[in-house]
Amino acid sequence: MTKHDLETGGPRADRPKRRHFSAEYKLRIVAEYDAAQPGEKGAILRREGCTTPASSCGAGSATRVP
């Protein structure tokens, strides 16, 4: 799909657009997550829409130790 398809109402113009996150945004959310109490962490993830297993936000995975 090209930008032209989106502008002209091409075959996939009605599909949801993928969200993009800046590095500054990610660092801010991860810092907020790390500073939060255990009961508050889930609320942060829900607020930011990072609750799906294939989340692109990454706030939850940034603090895990392999």
Side-chain angles (χ1 to χ4, degrees):
M1 175 170 39
T2 66
K3 182 178 176 186
H4 178 62
D5 289 336
L6 293 173
E7 292 170 352
T8 60
R12 294 182 165 185
D14 60 339
R15 276 182 78 165
K17 308 302 180 276
R18 188 164 193 171
R19 295 169 53 185
H20 298 278
F21 302 98
S22 69
E24 295 163 347
Y25 170 81
K26 291 177 186 179
L27 289 172
R28 181 176 57 83
I29 297 303
V30 169
E32 183 180 352
Y33 182 87
D34 287 341
Q37 298 297 317
E40 300 170 348
K41 292 183 178 195
I44 293 169
L45 296 178
R46 284 188 300 277
R47 183 190 74 211
E48 299 302 324
C50 299
T51 57
T52 60
S55 174
S56 62
C57 185
S61 62
T63 58
R64 290 190 200 127
V65 178

